[in-house]
Amino acid sequence: MLEKAQELLKTYFGYSSFRKGQEQAISSVLEGKNTVCVMPTGGGKSIVYQIPALALPGTTLVISPLISLMKDQVDTLLQLGIPAAYINSSLSPQEAEQTMVEAMHGGYKLLYVAPERLESYDFQEMLQHLQVPLVAVDEAHCISQWGHDFRPSYLQIARLMDKLQGNSVVLALTATATPRVREDICATLSIDPINSVLTGFERENLSFSVVKGQDRHAFLKDYVRKNKSEAGIIYAATRKTVDQLYDWLQKEGIDASRYHAGMSDNERANEQDRFLKDQADVMVATSAFGMGIDKSNIRYVVHYQMPKNMESYYQEAGRAGRDGLPSECTVLYSPQDVQIQRFLIDQSAEQVRMSQELEKLQQMVDYCHTEGCLQAFILEYFGDHEAEPCGRCGNCTDTRSSVDVTKEAQMVLSCIIRMGQKFGKSITANVLTGSRNKKVLELGFDNLSTYGILKEQSAKQVTELIEFLISANLIGVEQGTYPTIYVAPAGKDVLTGKQQVFRKEAVQIKQVANDDPLFEELRQLRKTVAEGEHVPPFVIFSDSSLKDMCARLPQNEEEFLQVSGVGQHKLEKYGEVFLKAILEFAAANPERERVLTSSVPPKTKTKPAKKGVNDSHLETYKLHKEGLTVQEIAAKRELAVSTMENHLIQCIQNGMEVDFSNLIPDKFSPDLEKAVAEAGREKLKPIKELLPDEVSYFMIKVFLYKLRKQEKAIVD
Ligand code: ADP
Ligand code: ZN
């Protein structure tokens, strides 16, 4: 049976091997077991039901809440030569009727329906005449009240399964991992939890980063310019910001589209369409955009403002790189964002949920401030406590050195005080740089002792310095029509010389992907072909297929078939035009070399090199050595406990001596010893399960280091 699945994968989809979890989930379904499959976005869930649908007789029903997605999915299947259709409210009653008649004649291998449709009498009638070997429930978390997206109509699915008289297998698919939601899915759909296929949540092609203390307008401009012609999404917290950014990008000559709830349905659909069809490179949107967007070639997602919690963040950022190619996810953090999000929570949440929302917001803020691995922070948040540093994110790859800017900081802070702590950033910068600006003179600020003390810098540089001091919580911002700045409590310690300030150089912006003229050419060709077929370009070929063509430079049909994502049907449909373009390019560029193995990055993980320690780690270490507990250090430094723990772990890894009895209370040592003896040292989770709740993962990690150290001492 699996051999057949493998063959279908190659002939229809043009892929030569299954990804993590796909094979296991497909076998489970083919063995007739109800199954739940949890994979991150872009993990390849569609193939998990599409291959059994091809292998089994009859028509597979796919239940999906996302009407916009159904059309793309059906278009994609038709492009692969697989007969498929959908029934939802976007069809006229006549069209729906026609589709049902065709279905009853066995015309489709897959039929997509919205859950509401299950209640319709006509639809139930039709089912009586349909052979349904498999019901695939997409976005299955919608079944659970604990999920973030509960849909009552999903509860109809259980009744549907009864009607199908138990002859059909059910396969639930979701990217939401919490155990609570999974339990609900299994209970509602009669799935034995043994038949759960879970892959890790890491997105191995995404690199996360947080940019703070930098002018975000300037950053964004530079970023979008450097990545022109790549598709990207810029998320902003409010409609107003979306409109402002959109106008500004347009003025900069960048093809942008926009999306928020204040626009008409029509406008929104148009703008979305332009983005999907690669007619606009950038989408500027509020979080209203993205549900049901299948565009696979999104190279970057920038959050212009910090989102409200990690759940939304991972979902929105996760829209980058569904095709598996390297992509970037960046948050441009500024402390004002916290106030905006607080305000939005105040406005929307019911009282009971408020404290929960605020706590989630705090974790988002912690993410923006952690100095540990960002991907690991996310995975840890979602319950994977064994995540290792990714080696790709902004923190893992940070080699910037920090500079002591205590003196300049003191100048800025004392200037703010002299100005009465009731003015904004830009006039403060003007005073510091000694500007002859009318307002500065009118207010007599040229008489202050701090007037012009930073005159060797530009006003822009000083504004950035102020921005940095804000993000370091040394300067506070009083919101209002004209936000004003004041010296925060920690800033006072700097003024009195009790605290030093270190600043890192600005983040250098790199291109997400390298330019390749052949890739550009193939992308244009794809766009033209797509227009002729009335489908979005990524439905014709994914970016990773185009990249693979660029690397292999196929010369004939046989070689074209080797390209990842090229199956029999696509070869027949598009082989000729694409081969022609590639051959012409190769003839004109004889120096271009062919790479005969796949260019698609392998899914294996390389272990990142051990990271060094920086000033911030040393600060934490110093406080630890003074005898403070991790909690005390976190409170003192106003940083997250998890960040402090990461610092200390890194210090240990770098061979620095720590005080183990401070990190692990003595009373836990016997339990820890017993648990490690029983569960082994390979994984932390089995150890954790044997211990009282108060013993944290951090303590276990530290304990294992301690053991190793003791053993090493004996050997030495
Ligand atoms: P999900 O629904 O889990 O978000 P998709 O099913 O949309 O993910 O798959 C994401 C991308 O990965 C698609 O472009 C798909 O064609 C590709 N893909 C899926 N399985 C494989 C595989 N075994 N080898 C290579 N690419 C794959
Ligand atoms: Zn990392």
Side-chain angles (χ1 to χ4, degrees), residues 83-94:
Y86 60 87
I87 303 178
N88 62 34
S89 55
S90 76
L91 298 186
S92 68
Q94 291 77 15

Side-chain angles (χ1 to χ4, degrees), residues 208 372-376 388-397:
F208 293 89
C373 172
L374 293 168
Q375 171 81 76
E388 302 232 359
C390 73
R392 300 179 304 274
C393 72
N395 287 353
C396 283
T397 58

Side-chain angles (χ1 to χ4, degrees), residues 9 13-20 22 39-50 69 73 76 80 138-139 173-175 203 294 296 318 321-324 538 542 544 564-565 600:
L9 181 70
F13 299 91
Y15 298 135
S16 40
S17 58
F18 283 112
R19 284 196 189 150
K20 219 192 300 179
Q22 285 179 331
M39 280 182 190
T41 312
K45 285 185 284 297
S46 319
I47 277 180
V48 172
Y49 61 80
Q50 288 164 350
L69 204 87
Q73 295 227 323
T76 303
L80 296 167
D138 209 1
E139 312 291 341
L173 308 117
T174 176
R203 297 282 310 275
D294 214 8
S296 65
R322 292 183 70 150
D323 52 13
F538 61 85
S542 68
S544 61
S564 168
V600 179

Side-chain angles (χ1 to χ4, degrees), residues 205-209 223 227 298-302 313 317 320-321 325-330 509-512:
N205 60 321
L206 299 188
S207 34
F208 293 89
S209 56
Y223 192 92
N227 292 295
I298 295 172
R299 288 281 75 81
Y300 65 85
V301 174
V302 173
Y313 182 58
L325 293 177
S327 308
E328 284 183 356
C329 311
T330 311
I509 302 168
K510 297 182 296 280
Q511 273 179 295
V512 184

Side-chain angles (χ1 to χ4, degrees), residues 60 90 141 152 192 204 220 233 340 401 413 480 514 581 668 684:
T60 288
S90 76
H141 55 273
D192 183 341
E204 291 172 16
L220 190 66
I233 306 178
I340 296 177
S401 50
L413 295 166
N514 294 330
F668 294 136
L684 300 179

